[in-house]
């Protein structure tokens, strides 16, 4: 027992953990996320943390730095890896359980994901994502393109974050515009524009200039600067695909006109190949370089690698840990005590049974109650409540015939009370 | 898009996942667990899923079949592994954050854990544990030996499970009794008795007979059959350690005398070396061979491998997935619809804005609301609610000046209602 410790208990870089007073707030946030998702009719799904490596790699995601599982003791594990997002597991889930789901299928999924990246600001190796997707069979209503940013808007609003915006664009606008310009490979331009926040407008211009003339480079950058459908129309480029994209985008923006934080942003490209229509990306206003705090878009087919049915959908992912860690690091997280306890019940000498019954009565009324653990002096018991940040101390009668009393530590006010009816909020 | 799927979406053995209607119940169970833990003043802690392998192996746990992390792409990861229980991470956490915690430190922790075991009935490779522990510095009140089974008793009661019991014993009783018998290595006998449920009384007797005479073997088995402190006293064996153990056990049983499911059970041994006093083990009454559904005990020192302070404590772990999966497999899980949606709001032709405002008003009142996604015929919209198991359908006025109406699908009753004040429960 008293031997020298053999292992130093150090944090592991990229794997965040919080003290209890911070974890309490994180838990409240996660409750809020879930409440909002359910209030829009999304149902909860969890998948294993682990998928077969062929499932994880089905889209050729070799760059994601997947953590594969092995056995510490040298035995070979099956070819399994930790999921690096919640989209691939959801695609596998939808394909596997296709016959048991009702479409359009609206699901949310709040889980940890793992990426073997180099840890840096806003990048973790283990973090929580909150994903929300709607998928349907063969075709899907544009209604959901507008519903998803509304849901995420409400989530971000409820978390009471520093200012943010959700930029909305449409891949058809980008590709249609580049087509209208006569660009030979519009998708390649999308991928370059997607790097705007990493390499800046000059960097993008330099890359584009390798294959496009100056007028076209200028036009591509002018589109990225536009912040309304009218501004885009004024650029004078036309194509059928552009018109289709602008109509879709206008529908989404009109539906969300009551939300000032949702804005048209033609620099949002979302480089991933599978997006085909609406795309989204949210950022903190004060820290645009911190990266996206939520993102997503519409895809033509979710689970093509796993099932011969076409499942189009639209989804968004909230970077929960990225947001939470930033707010914490900026000193903007309002935390309280390290426990959710409302009341400490004092244990009077020789009256353990009565104190236990008092605690039970208070719990039955919905309070979180700690019963003090030994017959210490009352001052010591109250001091414990104070150190722990417990707001109320309850005194069961120290002799028969006396009344219960409760003291609020913040104000010092002490009064008679009945454990059967007391409430912290009364 | 229409290519043949390349990967079959199969379940991975030992990694359970549920359909949404089952996940909704699991989520409700997890809420209940957390609510009960917090109602006794335990604070939430989460740790990373991953620890350094030297931390995981600090107690020489080579038999636990730890999953180590590697890189799918051939790059070596740090020496990290997935935690196989929540005790080792908690010990590391307590040591690492020692200066920031208030003692006695009461924490609960609900997380997935991983074990590379062969999957079988009640054994998974990924499963959720609900741990609750109290640790203190140098010494700890016996109050908590009695509080922990009370907390777990309340959890199991709230989950409305098939009949179960929590057996309580004390390692000092076992070791003191064996000492009193003149057994040379009492701890070795504890480990053999721990195999009672696997190899039966005959099996235990055969192993013990290798080192003990028949009278002692009989006495060891007589103790294991005893179900009260008086029965043990009647066996006529004495030792100081036995007296101490019986006094501790009597205190715990007296404190829990109001809970008929908590029973003295001298066959409970908990083979792990670190238990030194009270030990617990819960089982389903109808399926004793299914293994323990909760277990734990008192230990002299939690984190000796990591810190030079002695941190005694007492803890219990609820085998959440094991319990949930059993209740599900036995057909005893009461499930409802596949979503938590209360109301589907019908989308009348040309009145999208009004329908959206109606949905928002209902959500503001606390309801979970789906807004139908396109202007289909009303019958189709109602059919969708019915297929999804949504209990109420809301009809916003189809023309100005008419009233809102809501229909309960189960009863067919339809009546006027105000979205600003309606509640499902009214």
């Amino acid at each position: 027992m008293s031997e020298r410790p053999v292992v130093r208990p150090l944090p592991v870089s990229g794997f965040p953990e919080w003290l209890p007073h911070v974890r309490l707030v994180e838990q409240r946030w996660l409750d809020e996320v879930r409440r909002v998702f359910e209030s829009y009719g999304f149902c909860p799904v969890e998948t294993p943390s682990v998928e077969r490596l062929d499932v994880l790699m089905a889209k050729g995601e070799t760059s994601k730095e997947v953590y594969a599982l092995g056995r510490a003791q040298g035995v070979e594990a099956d070819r399994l890896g930790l999921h690096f997002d919640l989209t691939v597991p959801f695609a596998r889930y939808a394909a596997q359980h296709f016959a048991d789901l009702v479409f359009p299928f609206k699901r949310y999924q709040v889980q940890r994901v793992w990426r073997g990246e180099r840890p840096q600001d806003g990048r973790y190796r283990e973090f929580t994502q909150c994903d929300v997707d709607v998928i349907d069979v063969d075709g899907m209503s544009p209604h959901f393109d507008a519903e998803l940013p509304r849901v995420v808007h409400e989530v971000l609003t409820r978390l009471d974050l520093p200012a943010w915006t959700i930029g909305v664009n449409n891949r058809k606008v980008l590709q249609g515009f580049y087509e209208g310009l006569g660009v030979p490979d519009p998708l390649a331009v999308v991928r370059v524009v997607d790097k705007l926040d990493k390499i800046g407008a000059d960097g993008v211009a330099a890359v584009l200039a390798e294959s496009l003339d100056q007028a076209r480079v200028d036009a591509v950058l002018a589109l990225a600067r536009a912040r309304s459908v009218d501004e885009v129309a004024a650029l004078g480029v036309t194509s059928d695909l552009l018109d289709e994209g602008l109509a879709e985008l206008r529908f989404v923006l009109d539906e969300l006109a009551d939300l000032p934080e949702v804005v048209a942003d033609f620099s949002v490209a979302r480089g991933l190949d599978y997006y085909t229509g609406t795309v989204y990306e949210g950022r903190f206003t004060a820290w645009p370089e911190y990266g996206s705090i939520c993102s997503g878009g519409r895809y033509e087919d979710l689970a093509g690698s796993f099932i011969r049915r076409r499942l189009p959908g639209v989804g968004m992912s909230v970077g929960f840990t990225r947001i939470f860690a930033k707010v914490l690091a900026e000193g903007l997280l309002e935390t309280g005590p390290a426990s959710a306890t409302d009341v400490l019940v004092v244990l009077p000498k020789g009256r353990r049974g009565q104190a236990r019954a008092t605690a039970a009565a208070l719990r039955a009324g919905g309070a979180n109650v700690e019963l003090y653990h030994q017959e210490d002096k009352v001052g010591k018991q109250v001091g414990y409540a104070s150190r722990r940040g417990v707001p109320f101390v309850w005194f069961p009668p120290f002799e028969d015939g006396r009344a219960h009393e409760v003291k609020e530590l913040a104000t010092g006010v002490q009064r008679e009370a009945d454990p059967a009816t007391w409430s912290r909020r009364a």
Side-chain angles (χ1 to χ4, degrees), chain A residues 65-128:
Chain A
E65 310 206 359
V66 173
Y67 278 121
L69 298 192
R71 288 290 175 74
Q73 299 301 318
V75 189
E76 266 306 292
D78 307 331
R79 297 291 288 159
L80 300 173
L82 294 171
H83 55 217
F84 52 82
D85 70 7
L86 301 177
T87 303
V88 172
F90 178 51
R92 194 266 312 145
Y93 183 95
Q96 183 179 326
H97 303 292
F98 180 76
D100 294 312
L101 306 177
V102 177
F103 292 90
F105 181 53
K106 301 175 74 169
R107 88 85 172 79
Y108 74 90
Q109 188 167 353
V110 176
Q111 283 187 253
R112 298 174 179 221
V113 305
W114 293 265
R115 293 186 193 174
E117 296 188 290
R118 180 200 295 270
Q120 49 180 304
D121 193 31
R123 303 254 171 210
Y124 297 93
R125 291 178 164 181
E126 175 173 34
F127 53 100
T128 298

Side-chain angles (χ1 to χ4, degrees), chain A residues 307-318:
Chain A
I307 191 174
R308 295 178 79 169
R309 297 298 297 264
R310 199 167 70 82
L311 301 179
V314 57
M316 288 187 80
S317 178
V318 176

Side-chain angles (χ1 to χ4, degrees), chain A residues 24-42:
Chain A
L24 272 165
V25 182
E26 187 184 43
Q27 196 167 265
R28 211 157 59 222
W29 279 35
L30 288 167
D31 287 346
E32 203 57 46
V33 170
R34 172 177 142 192
R35 199 191 59 68
V36 173
F37 286 167
E38 293 189 354
S39 82
Y40 281 83
F42 290 83

